[in-house]
Amino acid sequence: MLQVQFIRENKETVLAGLAKRNFANAEAIVTQVLTSDENRRATQVAMDDVLAESNKLSKEIGGFFKSGEVQKANLLKEKTGQLKEQSKELVEKLNDFAEELQNLLFQIPNIPHASVKAGSSEDDNENIFSEGVIPDLGENALPHWELAKKHELIDFEMGVKVTGAGFPFYTGKGARLQRALINFFLDEARDAGYKEIIPPFLVNEASGIGTGQLPDKEGQMYHCGVDDLYLIPTGEIPITNMFRNVIVKSEDFPIQVTGYTPC
């Protein structure tokens, strides 16, 4: 999530980055963010002023009581009571502005690097390099789903029966191939210096927010309402959240972890 200070200090850079992502209403949302932030900061200043005035009066009240000037002390006590009510109202306003700002920031995606070219479809992608020769499969080549069915590697119909579309059964050599590939890639990553992780497949709301799935993509995740947990869409969600709210020392980089999840 972009920090409000970064948006405030780099508004044009943010708008240019959001334009590359074809993000709708970027100008309007960024303006709302800056306005909400100004309101929040102004309210914070007002609240600090009220608290400072209240503290000052409290000291004066104590002095008046010590010197026997009870009437003056009582007048100031009445004023501090008014300041407390004012402070309570300002706290509520500050919390409202802070919540509004947070919800707005959740709607703004990260911006791409300056080197990323703008585009609206895959036809606009830049080919950095190609390697190897792309084979000509000929007119009678079978697509992968037909090959999988022909060689009994995947049972799509059984997946639909048991769960639904998009949840196939891997069978026979297909299941063995899946298992072999999982081990192969984990071993390759381990040999390259990565630490192997098997993370939990359910995460809490804070983790979903930490990697940007929540709150705006809540409808795209499977949610267990009883425990208020979310099924992960990729392994990066739990693995990245291992470092959520952690200050990592520069000497600890690079951090290399890899993991397997059934997604």
Side-chain angles (χ1 to χ4, degrees):
M1 184 177 72
L2 294 179
Q3 299 299 305
V4 65
Q5 182 178 348
F6 179 83
I7 297 174
R8 188 168 61 243
E9 296 174 355
N10 304 275
K11 179 181 176 182
E12 296 307 318
T13 299
V14 171
L15 289 175
L18 294 177
K20 282 186 179 181
R21 296 195 59 159
N22 301 307
F23 182 71
N25 301 321
E27 180 84 42
I29 293 182
V30 167
T31 299
Q32 283 181 281
V33 164
L34 296 177
T35 300
S36 182
D37 182 47
E38 288 174 7
N39 292 334
R40 179 186 62 84
R41 288 191 293 158
T43 305
Q44 180 71 63
V45 170
M47 190 175 74
D48 291 343
D49 290 343
V50 168
L51 290 174
E53 179 68 13
S54 182
N55 290 334
K56 177 187 173 184
L57 292 179
S58 294
K59 292 179 181 179
E60 291 180 5
I61 290 169
F64 283 135
F65 274 125
K66 283 183 181 180
S67 62
E69 299 177 88
V70 178
Q71 187 175 0
K72 288 184 178 180
N74 287 332
L75 286 174
L76 290 184
K77 280 183 70 176
E78 185 178 338
K79 188 173 181 180
T80 57
Q82 295 172 354
L83 289 174
K84 284 182 180 179
E85 286 299 316
Q86 191 176 347
S87 176
K88 183 179 178 182
E89 293 175 4
L90 287 170
V91 167
E92 292 177 357
K93 285 181 63 178
L94 184 63
N95 290 336
D96 289 342
F97 284 133
E99 183 179 359
E100 176 187 70
L101 178 61
Q102 192 70 29
N103 290 333
L104 287 168
L105 289 172
F106 282 146
Q107 299 178 43
I108 301 179
N110 283 324
I111 58 176
H113 190 268
S115 64
V116 176
K117 296 185 179 298
S120 56
S121 71
E122 63 180 31
D123 296 330
D124 298 316
N125 289 341
E126 180 183 7
N127 187 1
I128 305 299
F129 70 90
S130 299
E131 186 173 345
V133 178
I134 299 176
D136 181 7
L137 300 179
E139 296 181 0
N140 297 321
L142 296 176
H144 71 272
W145 56 88
E146 290 188 21
L147 282 170
K149 186 173 182 179
K150 176 181 177 181
H151 296 287
E152 298 182 348
L153 305 179
I154 303 177
D155 192 329
F156 295 102
E157 290 78 9
M158 186 65 69
V160 171
K161 171 187 174 182
V162 173
T163 306
F167 296 90
F169 275 71
Y170 291 86
T171 60
K173 291 182 179 179
R176 290 178 60 193
L177 178 61
Q178 283 282 83
R179 180 160 49 86
L181 287 172
I182 292 165
N183 286 330
F184 172 75
F185 284 114
L186 286 175
D187 289 346
E188 287 289 298
R190 182 199 60 206
D191 293 343
Y194 286 75
K195 180 180 180 180
E196 184 176 339
I197 301 288
I198 297 182
F201 305 149
L202 290 153
V203 295
N204 55 31
E205 183 181 45
S207 294
I209 292 173
T211 44
Q213 279 69 41
L214 299 175
D216 60 322
K217 300 179 183 65
E218 184 171 354
Q220 301 174 28
M221 298 178 70
Y222 293 100
H223 181 225
C224 177
V226 175
D227 298 312
D228 196 22
L229 297 174
Y230 294 85
L231 275 169
I232 60 172
T234 71
E236 71 180 284
I237 281 72
I239 291 177
T240 301
N241 274 284
M242 290 166 57
F243 307 97
R244 174 167 50 86
N245 297 333
V246 174
I247 303 299
V248 182
K249 297 178 182 178
S250 57
E251 56 264 29
D252 293 333
F253 288 110
I255 297 173
Q256 296 173 265
V257 292
T258 184
Y260 163 72
T261 61
C263 9

